[in-house]
Amino acid sequence: MSNKNFRLTRTTLTVLLLIASFANTIAQTTWSENQDTISVQANWKKGDQKTFLITRTKQKKVSGDVRENFQFSFLADMKIVDSTESGYRVEWEYRLTNDFKEKNPLASLAMPVYNDMKMIFTTYTDGSFKDLLNWQEVADAYIEMTELNMGGQKNDTIKKTMDKVKEMFRTKEMTESSLIRELQLYYSAFGGVFTLQGMKSNTTLPNPINAEPLPAYIEQKIKEIKPAEGTFNVEISQSIKPEAMRNLLYGLLEKMDIPRDSIELEMEKMLQSLIITDKGTFTIDQTSGWLLGIEYIREAQFGEMYQKELILFELVKDKKEQ
């Protein structure tokens, strides 16, 4: 393999693995109720509003050396637009904090997703996510942000790869599974039944590339009950099976018209060391069913690259329209 082809391999693999590692992978599993269970159910009212401060921290290491260490915060204004027998209509609006914009003026300009972008969607009656209504608008905002962050780093190879990536993300399935991570995370606990003992099981994840579901392991449990506060904490832990990542990555190759045999050897070497794990802790109000806070950690290891991401939700405003 020539040096030129090897650089193509590494660039392509990095793009593919980053897409895969940031795809939404929190699955939902519901078990039969018993005396040691808590059911997470929404009990929202039309006009309910809350504002959360969401902080995202990402660290990337290559061969143990820190290559990226980035943190930013933004606000998410949530509103229950309608409540019907079939579920809820909800609106989120993102906006950067004034502190972040003052300290990072150039970065703020390159983040259109977090500058007053709205997401309008529906949930089922239990609060679990159902359907993103303005998915095209959301996809366009993320694609624009990707292009802005690419800057002038566009040689022919990267441009061709990114054109394929943009084509893939212009679908509802890909937008819902990979681009609205905070939204999917917030609603992932709803509709679930959690046990004090905890329960491990095999599960499957939706595959945005093709119809074949992705196998994974999942554990859900009650972490803590606080009767005096009227809240409880539940925890969802998950790891993706190696064959799931293999199916996802080779599906991406096919979608991007990249010959499988051109990078299969390098891909298989990296897949042997690929590990992706998720753990989310959710604080929920027992009466209203509102989720009041989240601590979520995702770790991804492939080859010499290690990536850790932390997402925190903190309630900063609680308002009900009279």
Side-chain angles (χ1 to χ4, degrees), residues 21-287:
S21 67
F22 280 110
N24 176 67
T25 56
I26 289 287
Q28 286 184 212
T29 304
T30 302
W31 300 291
S32 300
E33 293 191 46
N34 59 50
Q35 61 181 359
D36 297 324
T37 66
I38 289 179
S39 177
V40 180
Q41 301 285 323
N43 186 27
W44 307 323
K45 302 293 187 297
K46 179 180 177 179
D48 284 359
Q49 297 183 64
K50 292 188 185 295
T51 297
F52 285 87
L53 176 69
I54 303 177
T55 301
R56 296 185 57 172
T57 304
K58 185 173 72 172
Q59 184 182 74
K60 183 188 296 181
K61 295 181 179 180
V62 179
S63 301
D65 297 329
V66 177
R67 299 294 178 86
E68 183 178 349
N69 199 352
F70 182 67
Q71 181 182 90
F72 75 97
S73 298
F74 59 97
L75 296 167
D77 296 318
M78 306 179 189
K79 181 177 181 178
I80 306 300
V81 178
D82 199 10
S83 173
T84 68
E85 292 183 356
S86 61
Y88 300 91
R89 183 183 176 100
V90 189
E91 181 180 291
W92 280 31
E93 183 173 349
Y94 285 161
R95 51 192 173 92
L96 292 171
T97 64
N98 291 330
D99 181 65
F100 182 87
K101 288 190 286 188
E102 290 173 2
K103 293 179 179 179
N104 306 274
L106 294 179
S108 299
L109 295 175
M111 301 171 73
V113 167
Y114 304 101
N115 281 294
D116 304 319
M117 184 189 75
K118 290 185 179 182
M119 292 180 289
I120 304 168
F121 58 97
T122 57
T123 75
Y124 294 99
T125 54
D126 59 15
S128 56
F129 178 82
K130 183 179 181 180
D131 187 34
L132 180 63
L133 302 178
N134 66 330
W135 68 267
Q136 291 174 309
E137 178 185 343
V138 173
D140 288 343
Y142 275 96
I143 290 170
E144 180 187 358
M145 186 168 69
T146 301
E147 291 177 330
L148 289 171
N149 282 279
M150 289 288 292
Q153 306 174 31
K154 287 188 178 180
N155 58 42
D156 291 342
T157 299
I158 294 178
K159 185 178 184 303
K160 182 178 180 180
T161 301
M162 289 308 302
D163 286 343
K164 289 294 181 180
V165 170
K166 287 190 291 184
E167 181 181 335
M168 283 192 302
F169 280 110
R170 291 191 189 279
T171 66
K172 183 177 182 180
E173 294 74 19
M174 202 67 168
T175 300
E176 289 186 338
S177 66
S178 302
L179 297 185
I180 53 173
R181 298 190 61 225
E182 293 87 1
L183 189 154
Q184 290 278 20
L185 173 62
Y186 186 88
Y187 294 97
S188 60
F190 289 99
V193 177
F194 297 77
T195 67
L196 285 170
Q197 297 82 6
M199 184 177 290
K200 297 180 180 179
S201 65
N202 292 310
T203 187
T204 58
L205 310 174
N207 188 338
I209 303 301
N210 54 53
E212 185 176 356
L214 303 173
Y217 300 107
I218 189 170
E219 179 180 6
Q220 296 185 190
K221 64 181 180 180
I222 300 169
K223 187 174 182 180
E224 186 177 13
I225 301 175
K226 301 179 180 180
E229 299 178 14
T231 65
F232 57 90
N233 294 343
V234 298
E235 184 177 276
I236 303 176
S237 301
Q238 187 173 271
S239 59
I240 303 175
K241 295 183 179 182
E243 58 264 35
M245 291 307 302
R246 179 175 284 103
N247 293 341
L248 180 58
L249 290 171
Y250 282 127
L252 284 169
L253 285 178
E254 183 178 349
K255 287 284 186 180
M256 297 172 69
D257 294 331
I258 299 174
R260 175 169 171 163
D261 57 0
S262 66
I263 60 174
E264 186 169 14
L265 179 61
E266 190 70 19
M267 179 84 79
E268 288 298 327
K269 287 181 180 178
M270 297 186 76
L271 280 170
Q272 290 175 11
S273 64
L274 178 61
I275 301 173
I276 298 179
T277 59
D278 297 276
K279 179 180 287 187
T281 301
F282 306 79
T283 301
I284 301 168
D285 183 89
Q286 193 165 359
T287 301

